[in-house]
Amino acid sequence: MTHDHNPGRRIGETLLAVENISLAFGGVRALTDISFDVREHEIRAIIGPNGAGKSSMLNCVNGVYRPQQGTIRFAGQTFRHMHPHKAALMGIARTFQNIALFRGMSVLDNIMTGRNLKMRCGLFLQALYVGPNRREELAHREKVEHIIDFLQIESVRKTPVGRLPYGIQKRVELGRALAAEPRLLLLDEPMAGMNIEEKQDMCRFILDVNDEFGTTIVLIEHDMGVVMDISDRVVVLDYGRKIGDGSPDEVRANQDVIDAYLGVAH
Amino acid sequence: MQFFFEVLIGGLLAGVMYSLVALGFVLIYKASGVFNFAQGSMVFFAALTYVGLQEKFGLPGWAVFGLTLAVMVVLGIAIERVVLRPLVNQPQITLFMATIGLAFFIEGLAQVIWGTQVRRLDLGLQDEPIAMLMDRFNMLVSKFDVVAAVVAGLLVAVLAVFFNRTRIGRALRAVADDHQAALAVGIPLKQIWAIVWSVAGFVALVAGLMWGARNGVQFALTFVALKALPVLILGGFESVLGAIVGGLIIGASEKLAEVYLGPHLGGGIEGWFAYVMALLFLLVRPEGLFGEKHIDRV
Amino acid sequence: MLYREAGQFKTSYRADQQIFPILQDRIGMLVLGFVALVGVPLVASEYWLTAILIPLLVFSLAAIGLNILTGYAGQLSLGTAAFMAVGAVATYNFQLRVPGIPILVSFLLGGGTAAAVGAVFGLPSLRIKGFYLAVATLAAQFFIPWLLVKVSWFSNDSASGVITTQPVEILGFTFDTPLRKYLFALVVVSVLALVAKNLVRSHIGRAWMAVRDMDVAAEVIGIRIVRTKLVAFAVSSFYCGIAGALYAFAYLGSVETDGFNLDLSFRILFMIIIGGVGSILGSFLGAAFITLLPILLDVALTEGATALGLQLPSGMTSMVQLVVFGALIIFFLIVEPLGLARLWQIAKEKLRLWPFPH
Ligand SMILES: Nc1ncnc2c1ncn2[C@@H]1O[C@H](COP(=O)(O)OP(=O)(O)O)[C@@H](O)[C@H]1O
Ligand SMILES: [Mg+2]
């Protein structure tokens, strides 16, 4: 399941750099002085025990949480805090640890919503529907159908997502993120709660996305096998601090990491 | 100045009555996360049942009180069973709409049973000025309002003891903090909810008697519940103290506005003043006076 | 002629994107349109037109308005009637004060005024959610009618506060009889229903539903929450405003601000809960249900009472009505939260498989 089979994939310059990020909720220090970088086309994993601050880190990157300290540099611009809308505009998409799909909408509509930033027709044209708005809808529908094919969810495209099994919902959420054609994709435990087969499928999707579109990926994952297999570099968090950073092999050899994380249950 | 105080005190006392209704909301909200729009209907239902039973059987006050309380407990438990249990884990907005339906149902039911005419409710209290204040400070303060305030105060004290000192109360607070965790440590959620709805029924009965004795038992009582909404906005939905303070603030400012602002605006502002005030307040402090700010977890 | 999807392969996304992708549905709509435009005028009595069909159309429109806000965008409103009042009063005033203004323009401006007012009262939704927002809309419900009554300019200083609406005249043709008023309402409501359907199946509609279902996720994929909610408030209030204007001009023939009370707001809320939250079709079904139910109930109760030789106490029917409404709301929320529209859909699916269920 390694992705090194594709020699054409080059790791590029730094795309994202978080610098000295600290975040607290009341008395709880979720993140303390975290810095790391992500390079273009890279698959970067964040690991750590529950409550280590991994999700909070992603939330800072795309502006859902506002860190009290630190900066976020993305594509050459530096931010004190990101704003979710700005992040989306700049090409950051993500999935959530607890599926955050639009439950009442069909698979198709969920993924179409991922393309909202690319839709231009104003309210009046939408009210008319025929004409430019229909052309726009159809053009985007075509793109979305590609994603649906790619994720192999054709048979459920009209089903409300609330009725789908968990594994498929996770896929739909990936589809919604992909619909934005992101530069940076943040995946929060995309394989949590899946069986082996589903995990393999998901790994393949992630690698394909990375390979084919060159999308940079930051991935939170608990399954060490998967992490070691598909990531280029790994950040390790524990109690909101960074305790390790490097290639999978380096991280595996790091004593702090072994004590804090690999030593525990996993 | 003395007139100002008179208005202020009148407003505060009226506010106590709002607090009384708001208290019922807070109880249920804390325990089950339901914003019970039907609380006002329960107040109306309780008062009407009390008067109805009294007229029908001519029993002494305490006996009627006991009977009505029993009816309210049954009603509370029935609501929990029939309406809320099937809706567990539904979005809050759905629960809220369900309680709107419930409000209509209870209002209708009360009048189908007891008829639609306005009733007098006599608790043996006179709505007359307190002579001492009248003589010494020349201030008009209603005896009735003061009694109502004392009753409300007692009720709050009883509830505080109930919440803090009894086992059920502690379990209740645990439930309010975290449903899942409460279940995990073996707190019987459903039983707790039944108790809470019964207590809310009791609070509704007390509020119904006070309001009914003051204004007559009539459909308009249900509007009192609507006034409790701004009270809750101010005080926060989860704080008993908030309900009290919120009630006082709304009561006082409403009266003051009515007296000092009303004439300039052509009167009739008590219909909306509390809401507009709550609205403006929301814009400044969405979490209420005593609520905590929290950031959605994703 | 069976109701079948089989054999109707959609060869293009375009065909799939129609409002009624299935042929039988399109035929059904044509028949319905024909009945409404030709059949009803031929057979309907004046009572049916004025007491049932016109209010049904008006309430359908208001229900669509509320459904856009509550059903699609997820923002609960208890102030529908207030926005209807704004639409009615504004339309009246445009008609009164702008010489020679066409009535349809007045309607549009009236709706626009309601939209602006709605957006203002929607501003709190930027900071608050759920039933907190309900309080904001309650503020509108209590404040707006008060203002409209207190400032007598709005009612052209009429002593009683009741104002008679101007005649509805388009290109020299006056919609003065009940039948004509019905046709006027029918056309207005049909066009606006189509527009609403177009909006909810375009990207603004998806944005509304996204905000409703999961606002954080919506924001993360680039939807502007603030703007989306405000547009929902404005569009919803526009619909309510036009509905209010129709209520005044095509139904009552006067603007009675007192009629636009909390009770009416609740009634329209009930329409969408029973008809179907988040469904244009449901808005019609709900409006029909809530308009017809009291009439049927009234008949049933009086007939029943006479049959049993009982004397119903006065006001009894309206109390029973409260009980029935309340019970139905609870029933639907528990058993079929998507309302009659969903039941209709299920029935169609059953029919599609009939006579071989699987
Ligand atoms: N919205 C929030 N409000 C309060 N505390 C939070 C919030 N989000 C996260 N936390 C706290 O921050 C810490 C890190 O959480 P999280 O980032 O979810 O960890 P992980 O994803 O590594 O399991 C935990 O202690 C958690 O309780
Ligand atoms: Mg996490």
Side-chain angles (χ1 to χ4, degrees):
Chain A
M1 254 188 339
T2 53
H3 62 274
D4 290 329
H5 58 85
N6 184 350
R9 200 181 68 97
R10 294 183 332 269
I11 305 276
E13 299 290 299
T14 301
L15 177 64
L16 168 76
V18 298
E19 276 150 20
N20 311 102
I21 293 285
S22 294
L23 169 76
F25 297 100
V28 181
R29 308 192 64 173
L31 295 170
T32 311
D33 200 28
I34 305 286
S35 305
F36 65 91
D37 66 349
V38 179
R39 302 202 197 120
E40 189 107 45
H41 308 312
E42 186 176 35
I43 297 185
R44 187 76 147 117
I46 302 178
I47 63 171
N50 272 331
K54 306 181 295 295
S55 298
S56 300
M57 191 62 245
L58 292 196
N59 284 333
C60 290
V61 170
N62 75 343
V64 177
Y65 291 170
R66 307 174 120 230
Q68 281 86 12
Q69 267 162 42
T71 55
I72 288 156
R73 197 146 51 77
F74 181 74
Q77 287 188 50
T78 306
F79 301 88
R80 268 289 286 120
H81 2 250
M82 203 42 138
H83 187 273
H85 186 257
K86 179 76 183 163
L89 278 178
M90 292 186 75
I92 303 180
R94 74 172 284 185
T95 67
F96 296 84
Q97 179 172 355
N98 303 309
I99 297 171
L101 283 171
F102 308 127
R103 289 180 56 88
M105 299 163 72
S106 67
V107 169
L108 188 61
D109 279 345
N110 264 276
I111 303 179
M112 283 290 273
T113 311
R115 295 191 68 80
N116 78 90
L117 279 177
K118 301 183 189 304
M119 304 217 174
R120 297 273 167 266
C121 285
L123 204 58
F124 186 71
L125 287 176
Q126 294 179 66
L128 281 180
Y129 201 82
V130 290
N133 187 56
R134 174 149 72 194
R135 281 197 292 281
E136 187 176 73
E137 287 280 321
L138 288 175
H140 288 286
R141 171 83 187 263
E142 206 125 350
K143 300 259 186 195
V144 165
E145 289 290 343
H146 283 306
I147 294 172
I148 288 178
D149 286 348
F150 169 69
L151 295 172
Q152 295 160 1
I153 45 179
E154 299 92 334
S155 60
V156 293
R157 59 158 79 73
K158 291 285 178 72
T159 314
V161 291
R163 288 196 221 150
L164 294 173
Y166 180 82
I168 302 291
Q169 291 198 23
K170 282 262 176 195
R171 257 189 227 188
V172 177
E173 208 187 6
L174 177 63
R176 185 180 67 191
L178 290 177
E181 299 171 19
R183 244 183 121 175
L184 174 67
L185 187 55
L186 311 173
L187 303 175
D188 196 343
E189 307 200 10
M191 286 165 251
M194 288 187 168
N195 62 33
I196 304 257
E197 218 166 296
E198 289 172 324
K199 275 190 188 177
Q200 279 173 347
D201 283 342
M202 190 51 94
C203 274
R204 195 161 40 79
F205 294 139
I206 293 171
L207 288 173
D208 282 353
V209 168
N210 181 251
D211 269 356
E212 284 177 28
F213 313 118
T215 310
T216 310
I217 292 171
V218 177
L219 166 87
I220 296 176
E221 185 46 56
H222 277 300
D223 186 324
M224 291 312 288
V226 169
V227 170
M228 296 301 158
D229 256 1
I230 72 171
S231 52
D232 296 295
R233 289 188 302 154
V234 183
V235 179
V236 191
L237 300 184
D238 188 25
Y239 290 114
R241 291 174 190 280
K242 184 168 103 170
I243 57 166
D245 191 349
S247 73
D249 290 331
E250 285 164 8
V251 166
R252 204 174 354 215
N254 181 327
Q255 192 57 44
D256 283 345
V257 176
I258 295 170
D259 291 346
Y261 186 66
L262 299 176
V264 195
H266 281 267
Chain B
M1 201 58 199
Q2 161 241 342
F3 177 66
F4 172 84
F5 278 115
E6 196 175 298
V7 174
L8 180 68
I9 291 173
L12 286 174
L13 292 171
V16 170
M17 305 286 266
Y18 292 150
S19 309
L20 214 51
V21 181
L23 215 55
F25 282 97
V26 171
L27 274 178
I28 289 176
Y29 188 80
K30 266 175 92 90
S32 50
V34 178
F35 182 84
N36 178 27
F37 193 82
Q39 186 67 29
S41 315
M42 286 168 65
V43 169
F44 174 55
F45 186 90
L48 202 53
T49 306
Y50 183 94
V51 182
L53 287 173
Q54 199 173 39
E55 278 176 11
K56 197 140 212 166
F57 303 111
L59 294 170
W62 59 266
V64 179
F65 186 88
L67 272 178
T68 313
L69 184 58
V71 171
M72 293 312 291
V73 169
V74 171
L75 180 72
I77 292 173
I79 292 173
E80 194 277 319
R81 277 282 154 84
V82 179
V83 182
L84 294 160
R85 211 177 278 185
L87 287 172
V88 144
N89 293 332
Q90 293 293 315
Q92 268 191 339
I93 191 168
T94 304
L95 286 163
F96 180 58
M97 293 195 288
T99 63
I100 294 179
L102 188 61
F104 272 66
F105 183 84
I106 294 177
E107 284 161 22
L109 185 67
Q111 295 176 91
V112 167
I113 298 175
W114 301 114
T116 49
Q117 60 278 52
V118 179
R119 313 286 182 87
R120 248 175 54 79
L121 171 58
D122 191 2
L123 295 177
L125 285 169
Q126 252 62 61
D127 197 357
E128 60 188 15
I130 295 175
M132 190 271 284
L133 286 175
M134 196 70 193
D135 298 342
R136 291 271 291 279
F137 305 101
N138 196 22
M139 260 168 39
L140 259 170
V141 176
S142 159
K143 206 187 257 176
F144 180 91
D145 284 347
V146 174
V147 174
V150 171
V151 169
L154 275 176
L155 193 64
V156 172
V158 169
L159 286 176
V161 171
F162 175 73
F163 264 110
N164 294 316
R165 296 271 184 278
T166 65
R167 242 188 50 204
I168 295 172
R170 278 195 294 273
L172 241 167
R173 281 193 307 170
V175 172
D177 287 342
D178 187 342
H179 290 187
Q180 292 308 321
L183 269 180
V185 298
I187 291 173
L189 259 189
K190 292 183 174 146
Q191 219 167 308
I192 296 287
W193 283 341
I195 293 173
V196 171
W197 277 89
S198 308
V199 175
F202 169 66
V203 175
L205 173 56
V206 176
L209 292 183
M210 302 319 288
W211 276 102
R214 197 162 197 262
N215 301 347
V217 179
Q218 54 182 320
F219 190 70
L221 269 189
T222 56
F223 291 110
V224 174
L226 290 178
K227 278 284 165 59
L229 274 163
V231 170
L232 292 165
I233 296 284
L234 236 60
F237 285 83
E238 308 195 21
S239 160
V240 171
L241 181 66
I244 308 293
V245 176
L248 294 178
I249 295 178
I250 293 281
S253 46
E254 198 177 54
K255 274 276 158 25
L256 290 173
E258 198 180 316
V259 170
Y260 290 102
L261 216 57
H264 301 292
L265 296 176
I269 67 170
E270 64 277 5
W272 54 263
F273 182 80
Y275 297 95
V276 173
M277 191 167 123
L279 187 57
L280 296 177
F281 181 81
L282 268 178
L283 291 175
V284 186
R285 233 187 115 82
E287 63 275 12
L289 278 175
F290 298 93
E292 274 173 31
K293 211 179 188 115
H294 82 115
I295 301 165
D296 286 344
R297 224 173 257 258
V298 287
Chain C
M1 184 77 202
L2 290 172
Y3 186 75
R4 280 297 141 82
E5 194 178 7
Q8 299 184 28
F9 295 110
K10 283 149 221 147
T11 45
S12 66
Y13 297 137
R14 181 180 167 141
D16 191 38
Q17 233 136 349
Q18 289 175 325
I19 300 181
F20 300 107
I22 300 173
L23 179 65
Q24 284 84 341
D25 280 340
R26 288 200 289 280
I27 295 173
M29 278 314 289
L30 280 179
V31 172
L32 187 64
F34 187 78
V35 168
L37 267 175
V38 181
V40 166
L42 284 178
V43 298
S45 68
E46 192 160 317
Y47 171 79
W48 265 86
L49 289 169
T50 50
I52 296 173
L53 291 173
I54 294 176
L56 197 159
L57 285 168
V58 172
F59 289 139
S60 298
L61 192 59
I64 290 173
L66 181 60
N67 228 332
I68 286 172
L69 184 62
T70 303
Y72 286 94
Q75 313 295 309
L76 182 60
S77 166
L78 301 177
T80 314
F83 301 124
M84 290 174 73
V86 173
V89 171
T91 305
Y92 167 78
N93 276 288
F94 280 116
Q95 200 61 22
L96 176 75
R97 292 169 205 281
V98 184
I101 189 172
I103 185 88
L104 285 181
V105 175
S106 289
F107 265 69
L108 285 176
L109 290 173
T113 311
V117 174
V120 169
F121 278 90
L123 282 174
S125 72
L126 314 183
R127 300 206 52 180
I128 55 179
K129 302 188 202 178
F131 41 68
Y132 282 80
L133 187 63
V135 177
T137 56
L138 266 182
Q141 180 60 65
F142 289 122
F143 178 70
I144 291 174
W146 174 86
L147 188 71
L148 294 179
V149 170
K150 272 290 171 283
V151 181
S152 61
W153 182 85
F154 288 125
S155 52
N156 200 24
D157 301 310
S158 109
S160 62
V162 176
I163 38 185
T164 308
T165 54
Q166 301 87 346
V168 178
E169 194 188 300
I170 298 172
L171 301 174
F173 185 84
T174 311
F175 292 85
D176 46 5
T177 66
L179 180 60
R180 290 171 179 185
K181 286 180 179 171
Y182 159 79
L183 288 172
F184 175 67
L186 180 68
V187 171
V188 171
V189 173
S190 304
V191 169
L192 285 176
L194 179 66
V195 166
K197 187 71 195 171
N198 287 342
L199 288 176
V200 299
R201 65 194 177 123
S202 297
H203 69 258
I204 185 70
R206 288 191 294 268
W208 285 337
M209 292 185 272
V211 169
R212 169 195 72 190
D213 285 349
M214 185 65 73
D215 51 357
V216 180
E219 197 172 17
V220 162
I221 59 176
I223 291 171
R224 289 175 185 276
I225 307 277
V226 171
R227 201 165 68 188
T228 305
K229 283 185 183 174
L230 284 187
V231 169
F233 263 97
V235 173
S236 161
S237 304
F238 176 84
Y239 273 79
C240 294
I242 301 260
L246 270 184
Y247 192 76
F249 281 76
Y251 177 47
L252 293 180
S254 64
V255 183
E256 287 166 35
T257 313
D258 287 341
F260 297 107
N261 52 22
L262 184 62
D263 229 36
L264 182 59
S265 292
F266 274 133
R267 203 134 44 100
I268 292 161
L269 179 65
F270 289 176
M271 289 174 194
I272 73 165
I273 293 175
I274 290 179
V277 173
S279 160
I280 302 295
L281 171 69
S283 309
F284 284 95
L285 296 177
F289 192 92
I290 299 282
T291 311
L292 291 175
L293 184 68
I295 300 173
L296 295 178
L297 212 57
D298 201 32
V299 173
L301 279 178
T302 12
E303 295 284 313
T306 10
L308 294 173
L310 292 174
Q311 180 71 41
L312 276 184
S314 72
M316 189 50 123
T317 44
S318 59
M319 292 309 122
V320 173
Q321 200 178 309
L322 286 183
V323 174
V324 173
F325 276 174
L328 276 172
I329 293 301
I330 296 168
F331 175 83
F332 269 97
L333 286 173
I334 292 175
V335 179
E336 188 43 81
L338 297 177
L340 293 171
R342 174 77 191 139
L343 291 180
W344 170 244
Q345 199 186 344
I346 291 172
K348 283 204 308 187
E349 273 161 25
K350 288 253 161 67
L351 195 59
R352 188 180 299 179
L353 295 171
W354 186 85
F356 309 110
H358 298 281

